[in-house]
Amino acid sequence: MSAHGTPIPMTSVPCGPLAGTADVPGDKSISHRSLILGAMAVGETKITGLLEGEDVLDTAKAMRAFGAEVTRHDDGSWSVFGVGVGGFAEPDKVIDCGNSGTGVRLIMGAMATSPISATFTGDASLNKRPMARITDPISLFGAQSVGRAGGRLPMTIVGAADPVPVNYTVPMPSAQVKSAVLLAGLNAPGKTVVTEKEATRDHTERMLVGFGAEVTTEETEKGRVITLTGQPELKPQTIVVPRDPSSAAFPVCAALIVPGSDVLIPGIGLNPTRAGLFTTLREMGANLTYENEREEGGEPVADLRARFSPDMKGIHVPPERAASMIDEYPILSVVAANASGITMMRGVKELRVKESDRIDAMATGLRDCGVDVEEGDDWWSVTGMGPGMVTGGATCQSHLDHRIAMSFLVLGMAAKAAVSVDDGAPIATSFPIFEPLMSDLGASIHRVNKDAA
Ligand code: S3P
C-alpha cells in the first residue's frame, strides 16, 4: 500500500522474449536534490526529466511548505523559485514524506540550520526507519529534535538559530546522511567537513558545485573528505535529470533471464558511485553492453543493451562495491537465482534498514519460490538454479517496498509458474510506468482483482 492508496495485488506470468526500447524515468536521487537545492537558490531553477514518482512529488510539496514556489509546466518540465540559503519559511502543517527516506532525511538536514521548526511524518514503512543517523549530526550544528522511541518519525526538528559548522565522520555508508550534513552546512558560517569511510553516491557534491557552492573532495587514508564553505549564495540552475540506473536495473535484469530477450535502455546515468550492479552482472557473464557513452548534465551516461544470458555464474560480490549498488541487491538476487552456482553478498547490513528489511523480504519470497537462500546479519547468499529453473508459484510480500515488489514480478517472468506480490502499489513511489513499460517489452503483469477471486 502506498502512503495514499489501497493495496494492489499483482501477478507476473512467465513470458516470451522481451524486446524493444525501454525509456525509464528520471533518477530519483537527482530529482530530490534538484528540488531541494532549487528551493535553496535565489531565482528560478528549471528541471527537465524530473521523476514524477510519489517520493519526489512529496518532496516538491515539502519545498512548497518551506516557502519555495514549485511549478509543473504542461511540457513536463518543472520550475523552482528558491528562497535562498537560510530563507526557509516555517511550514504551517506537518510535512508528510510518504515512503521516502531520502526525502525526509535530506529535508531535515536542509532545514536544521534555519531558525524554524518542522514536524515530519511518513507512511508505515518510513515511520519504522531510523532517524538518529540524521538527528545526531544535526544536533552538532545546534538543532534539536523530539521523535518517537528509537528515533522514529513522527518527529519535530527545531532548527539552530545560531548554527556552528561541524566536522563529522559518517558512521555508516550513507549518501543520505552525508547529504543531510552538507545541506545543513550550507547555512552554517565557516567550513563544514564530512568524512565518509566508503564512497557513496556523490550527486549532492556534484550538484552543490553546479549551484555555485565551494566544495572540495579529497581522498585520504581516513576515506573521502568533503569540505563545504557555508553561507554561499546558490545560483539557480538548468538541470537535465539523467534516467535512473536503479530503475533501469529491472528491464536489464529481466532481459538477462527471459530466453530470447534483447532490450535497449537508453540514456542511463552511469555515475561510478551508482553503477555497481552493471559491473557485477558483467562479471557474472551477462550479455550487457554500454553503447554511445557520453556525458549529460555533468553525469556519465550510456545506452544499455541487455540480451538473454544463459551462461551466468554466481560470484562473490566485493563488499567494497556495496554502496554503489545498495538498492540493486534485491533484483541481483533474482538474477542470481537464474544463474548457476552461489552468489555471495557481503557487507550489506544497510539493506536491513531500507524501505523494508530487504534481505529478509527477498529471502522469504525466494524460498517460497523454491530458491535456496542463506543469510546472516550483514550477508546473504543465493544458490542459483540455472536459467528458467526457479519454481515460482508463490505470493510474495512486498512490505511497502517498491524494489521488493518489482524484483518478485521480474522473477515471475522467467519462473516455471507465475509469481504474485501482495501489493504492487509502492512501485509508484519510484517507477510509476513500470507496468506499461514492461508490458510493452512483452512481459505479462496483471493486477489481481480481489473481489473477483
Ligand atoms: C539515496 C541513498 C541510499 C539509497 C536511497 C537513495 C540517496 O540510501 O538506498 O535509495 O539518494 O541519497 P542510504 O544513504 O541510506 O544508503
Side-chain angles (χ1 to χ4, degrees):
M1 189 163 55
S2 74
H4 318 288
T6 45
I8 304 176
M10 290 183 189
T11 294
S12 175
V13 178
C15 60
L18 301 172
T21 300
D23 285 328
V24 306
D27 189 280
K28 183 152 72 72
S29 294
I30 296 176
S31 294
H32 283 295
R33 288 159 172 80
S34 304
L35 292 169
I36 296 169
L37 282 175
M40 299 177 88
V42 178
E44 182 185 5
T45 286
K46 296 178 182 171
I47 310 168
T48 51
L50 188 85
L51 167 65
E52 295 180 343
E54 286 171 2
D55 278 10
V56 175
L57 298 178
D58 284 331
T59 290
K61 266 190 233 151
M63 290 301 98
R64 287 190 192 111
F66 281 99
E69 200 183 309
V70 183
T71 319
R72 183 188 193 274
H73 303 290
D74 290 344
D75 64 358
S77 67
W78 288 68
S79 291
V80 183
F81 289 88
V83 293
V85 169
F88 278 157
E90 186 164 85
D92 60 7
K93 44 186 180 306
V94 172
I95 304 295
D96 186 347
C97 288
N99 191 251
S100 181
T102 306
V104 77
R105 290 177 173 143
L106 268 55
I107 296 168
M108 280 179 173
M111 59 76 56
T113 46
S114 289
I116 55 170
S117 301
T119 301
F120 296 89
T121 192
D123 69 3
S125 155
L126 188 57
N127 287 1
K128 278 190 217 155
R129 297 180 68 186
M131 293 300 148
R133 56 181 58 199
I134 302 299
T135 53
D136 286 351
I138 64 175
S139 72
L140 305 175
F141 287 98
Q144 292 170 296
S145 59
V146 188
R148 286 192 306 133
R152 319 275 150 171
L153 301 179
M155 178 174 279
T156 297
I157 308 283
V158 182
D162 208 0
V164 290
V166 311
N167 189 327
Y168 190 70
T169 300
V170 184
M172 70 291 289
S174 171
Q176 292 176 355
V177 176
K178 168 181 66 176
S179 301
V181 176
L182 289 170
L183 293 173
L186 278 174
N187 199 35
K191 292 191 192 300
T192 286
V193 182
V194 190
T195 303
E196 54 177 2
K197 292 173 215 149
E198 295 163 56
T200 64
R201 66 192 70 194
D202 61 357
H203 306 303
T204 304
E205 299 91 299
R206 286 176 188 244
M207 209 177 274
L208 278 167
V209 171
F211 273 87
E214 203 183 305
V215 178
T216 57
T217 301
E218 218 187 321
E219 305 293 343
T220 72
E221 274 171 19
K222 287 183 293 177
R224 194 176 264 199
V225 180
I226 304 140
T227 305
L228 166 80
T229 305
Q231 299 185 325
E233 180 171 311
L234 298 183
K235 297 188 181 43
Q237 296 299 298
T238 298
I239 298 172
V240 181
V241 179
R243 297 173 193 271
D244 198 327
S246 298
S247 295
F250 296 99
V252 164
C253 291
L256 299 179
I257 62 173
V258 174
S261 298
D262 186 350
V263 172
L264 186 73
I265 305 108
I268 300 305
L270 285 183
N271 180 318
T273 61
R274 295 288 299 282
L277 172 74
F278 305 130
T279 307
T280 300
L281 293 171
R282 281 155 50 130
E283 283 176 8
M284 292 171 79
N287 190 342
L288 171 64
T289 51
Y290 301 163
E291 301 180 357
N292 194 11
E293 288 183 57
R294 58 202 184 271
E295 187 156 308
E296 280 177 13
E299 297 272 347
V301 160
D303 304 335
L304 305 184
R305 186 166 178 196
R307 280 169 274 194
F308 175 53
S309 305
D311 300 321
M312 288 188 289
K313 309 246 177 316
I315 63 165
H316 285 221
V317 183
E320 60 275 14
R321 193 181 290 159
S324 69
M325 54 179 288
I326 195 66
D327 289 335
E328 283 66 74
Y329 283 95
I331 189 62
L332 174 65
S333 70
V334 169
V335 174
N338 282 275
S340 42
I342 293 176
T343 295
M344 172 61 78
M345 298 163 277
R346 291 190 189 278
V348 291
K349 204 175 183 172
E350 280 292 301
L351 289 179
R352 296 209 178 269
V353 290
K354 295 293 177 187
E355 285 82 331
S356 66
D357 176 339
R358 285 181 168 161
I359 297 178
D360 186 60
M362 287 310 298
T364 305
L366 283 168
R367 285 180 193 131
D368 288 348
C369 289
V371 184
D372 192 8
V373 183
E374 293 190 30
E375 61 181 295
D377 185 34
D378 76 338
W379 65 270
W380 55 317
S381 67
V382 174
T383 302
M385 303 178 78
M389 297 306 287
V390 173
T391 317
T395 297
C396 305
Q397 309 293 306
S398 61
H399 297 281
L400 284 179
D401 189 329
H402 51 133
R403 299 200 199 283
I404 300 300
M406 289 186 280
S407 296
F408 284 127
L409 293 172
V410 170
L411 183 69
M413 294 173 200
K416 290 185 178 168
V419 174
S420 301
V421 290
D422 65 328
D423 184 12
I427 294 170
T429 61
S430 71
F431 200 163
I433 60 165
F434 175 76
E435 281 171 271
L437 180 143
M438 293 307 307
S439 299
D440 283 354
L441 295 176
S444 183
I445 300 174
H446 307 285
R447 291 188 176 211
V448 185
N449 182 348
K450 277 204 293 189
D451 297 335

